[in-house]
Amino acid sequence: MSIAPPSQDVLVSFRAVQKSYDGESLIVKNLDLDIRRGEFLTLLGPSGSGKTTCLMMLAGFETPTHGEIRLEDRLLNNVPPHKRDIGMVFQNYALFPHMTVAENLAYPLTIRKLSKSEIAEKVKKALGMVKLDNFGHRYPGQLSGGQQQRVALARALVFNPKLVLMDEPLGALDKQLREHMQLEIKHIHESLGVTVVYVTHDQSEALTMSDRVAVFKDGIIQQIDAANVLYEAPANSFVANFIGENNTLAGEVLAAEGDYYAVRLAGGDVVRALAVCPSDKGAVTSMSIRPERVRLADQAAGCENRLAGRLAEFIYFGDHVRLRLEVAGQNGFMVKVPVGQLDSGWRVGDTLDVGWSARDLRALDPLAA
Amino acid sequence: MMSESLVMDAPLTAADGVPLAVKLKRQARLKQLKALGLIAPLALFLLLTFLLPIGLLLKRSVDNPEVVSVLPQTSRLLADWDQRGLPSEAVFNALAADLTRAREEKTVPELAKRLNMEISGFRSLIQRTARKMPLELAPGASVRDRFIEIDERWGDPDHWHAIARNAKSWTPYYVYSALDLRETKSGTPELAPEEERAFLKIFGRTLWMSLWVTIWCIALGYPIAYWLATLPKRQSNLLMILVLLPFWTSVLVRVAAWIVLLQSEGLINRALMGLGVIDSPLPLAFNRMGVYIAMVHILLPFIILPTYSVMKSIPATYMRAAISLGDHPFAAFWKIYFPQTVAGVAAGALLVFIMCIGYYITPALLGGPEEQMVSYFVAFYTNVTINWGMAAALGSLLLVATMTLYAVYSKLVGANRLSLG
Ligand SMILES: Nc1ncnc2c1ncn2[C@@H]1O[C@H](COP(=O)(O)OP(=O)(O)OP(=O)(O)O)[C@@H](O)[C@H]1O
Ligand SMILES: [Mg+2]
């Protein structure tokens, strides 16, 4: 994974951007966001969290109610969308149905008054890039969904925009094709070095493709980081739950010990958890731990935190098995065990040792009592 | 390689050995038969209420029963006539017998009316002659001479040619007349003399006025349809009701309303004069202006609805895509949006045009004599002169014009893209 270093220069910056459609509620609340040159940034969040709205403000189809958007130090607020030089890929592709694929690709080039030979050459190159060399004369209606998707991609890139926006471009494809296209888009991004802002509500898509992911909720960025950081070090319980799988435990903070808290769980056990969000003594905090960080039975022996858990269910996944346990009075505690490490002697109802290192249990938001 | 090409060459067969192509065809035929059975009642209904009347109309336009039925013997003999000089004594004899019978059966006026269309004055000739039937002849006297004695026009071969021309049960006469043509003696059509021509001008006027109404409908209907398609749902529903409101009243009422508005003492003129914009009333009603205004108003929904339905199916992302690719919104509208609406506009325009060329009530009430279109004359021939032949011929020509238009349309736009829904 190529993580853009922080020193890299900024292409787009949102400053205190707000957006309201109805004058009553803010869809985007005080957005500050820097998009770095050449990075692949994904906006990830549940439906209605304002991702498309942000993208549309960047493209110029919506105006911010407040705040500034700059592209390379140029204030964009008053630049009409057709002068912004930003490529866009739409979810329904928006290929012009009365034009052939080649004419679709030539469209932005003709507007930019390139010569005929230049246009032909660029169209040919773009078709080659998306592996559709022999499809130039076809109409969009004669292409499959995946092929249309590629044409839309090629059209958004053919005029060398500095920035390409994609709003759930793979939403209409089936799973297999979607995974294939994810890789293809990623490779094209790497080879062209263009800056991409990508919107999705599919977290695995966000994790596999992006340099950085911005997690949205209710018009606020919850966390913006590289995929591995988001996964390993979620900043709050929304991010922890939204990305990957997660076990949540609740407990009362007894004492702070350096970077850690001592927390008493519902069953009375006391565990140590990494203090991510500040909590007062006596407050109830929610803690998260990933299912694959939990050790069982003999392997739990050396762990700082150790509890007893009762096996409730085996769920078979091919490469691994998930065990559902009752831990600290909670019966939805999941543990992932590779098939090779499974003890054939375990049965539903057995009581096992459950353990993890204190670093992996993250004390996040304080819970309102 | 070898085995592959072998497999390709052998005809594919289904499991029971029947070639696949044959089996497919059999299945398709079965499906077709079933479908046919399902639509049979509808097809029968259409046949009886739509195709049959049209067929009868077409037949009426070439139907020529009068001479054959009133003068059966004469007709039979005239079929073999060499058309030179006067017909033989036998023909005159037959005519006397036919007219005698016609007098008894009271079918003389029918014949007289029909023949009068060919040569004016024929009516009185027939009636005077029929009154003399049956002929009282001195033995050995010539019937022919007696006829010429009754009226010397019986000695004119032209009158006999006229009878002979119509001694068949069908005639191109009405269709020719509707096109300002007439039949020469040799049977070929020629253009009627200038002063007798009427219908070509009327057809031309009908098409010309229809064209202008259609153009105005497109010019006014397209923006309204676009507005309807882009407005938020609640406002667009309200606007749609306004568009459809005229359908709630009859055409007659709407035309009457326009008369009230447009006449020289009408609301518009009085308002303009009251405001001091004009000194004397503008001629808005009982001329072409009035007809155009009312027809455009009445036919506007027919272009708005198909255009709107096509526009509604075009997602906004097309325009956004074009703009994001760098095109100015106006150019994008013209290059991306407009071409996708052409099929709907063309369907609506065709509908309006076809309705226009058959329009009757509006020009009849709101136009002067120079605004009357073909339908007016169809009504005139059916209601006033009871000339079914002319009415049917004019109607058939309108039908032909409509079909030609549709053929041109489907050639240009492709009938498969026609969508009115
Ligand atoms: N044109 C508009 N007028 C009024 N409200 C709008 C408009 N567009 C979006 N909204 C509202 O703004 C909120 C955020 O919408 P947005 O499309 O940005 O969400 P999103 O994050 O893209 O969601 P999704 O994943 O479903 O696409 C939604 O509640 C939506 O109802
Ligand atoms: Mg969206």
Side-chain angles (χ1 to χ4, degrees), chain A residues 15 36 41 143 150 205 212 219 299 311 327 347 364:
Chain A
R15 283 290 167 270
R36 300 169 189 159
L41 175 74
L143 300 179
R150 287 161 203 241
E205 193 165 293
R212 288 197 304 160
Q299 290 185 3
L311 249 177
V327 172
R347 294 282 177 272
L364 300 170

Side-chain angles (χ1 to χ4, degrees), chain A residues 54 76 99 103 106 139 145 154 165 226 228 280 299 304 322:
Chain A
C54 285
L76 276 187
M99 296 182 182
E103 285 165 351
Y139 283 91
L165 312 180
N228 56 342
D280 293 332
Q299 290 185 3
E304 289 165 88
R322 287 183 203 196

Side-chain angles (χ1 to χ4, degrees), chain B residues 207-329:
Chain B
L207 294 178
W208 180 251
M209 286 174 66
S210 304
L211 185 71
W212 274 108
V213 170
T214 310
I215 289 173
W216 275 108
C217 279
I218 296 174
L220 294 174
Y222 196 88
I224 297 178
Y226 182 70
W227 202 30
L228 264 173
T230 47
L231 227 48
K233 194 156 177 63
R234 272 187 49 197
Q235 280 114 301
S236 92
N237 281 345
L238 200 71
L239 186 63
M240 187 56 110
I241 289 174
L242 291 180
V243 167
L244 296 178
L245 203 60
F247 281 134
W248 295 4
T249 52
S250 84
V251 175
L252 208 56
V253 173
R254 276 178 274 164
V255 173
W258 276 116
I259 294 177
V260 171
L261 285 173
L262 297 177
Q263 63 189 336
S264 33
E265 284 299 300
L267 270 172
I268 292 177
N269 271 318
R270 262 196 283 169
L272 288 179
M273 274 162 51
L275 290 172
V277 183
I278 50 170
D279 299 326
S280 55
L282 292 173
L284 292 174
F286 312 115
N287 57 12
R288 197 152 293 191
M289 185 65 157
V291 176
Y292 281 157
I293 291 176
M295 280 183 76
V296 168
H297 170 242
I298 290 166
L299 294 171
L300 207 49
F302 293 97
I303 199 152
I304 293 179
L305 293 180
T307 309
Y308 165 75
S309 95
V310 168
M311 284 176 170
K312 202 70 194 158
S313 68
I314 303 174
T317 44
Y318 285 123
M319 280 289 283
R320 289 195 163 177
I323 292 170
S324 80
L325 292 172
D327 215 355
H328 190 276

Side-chain angles (χ1 to χ4, degrees), chain A residues 56 61-62 81-82 86 88 90 92 94-99 107-108 111-112 155 159, chain B residues 315 317-329 331-332 335-337 339-340:
Chain A
M56 287 302 154
F61 296 117
E62 298 290 353
H82 65 279
I86 295 175
M88 264 195 105
F90 295 85
N92 66 356
L95 298 178
F96 309 137
H98 58 295
M99 296 182 182
Y107 191 85
I111 293 162
R112 285 168 178 75
R155 190 179 65 179
F159 59 102
Chain B
T317 44
Y318 285 123
M319 280 289 283
R320 289 195 163 177
I323 292 170
S324 80
L325 292 172
D327 215 355
H328 190 276
K335 284 190 276 185
I336 302 304
Y337 194 84
Q340 296 185 58

Side-chain angles (χ1 to χ4, degrees), chain B residues 336-355:
Chain B
I336 302 304
Y337 194 84
F338 177 75
Q340 296 185 58
T341 60
V342 165
V345 174
L350 183 74
L351 202 62
V352 167
F353 194 88
I354 287 175
M355 293 181 80

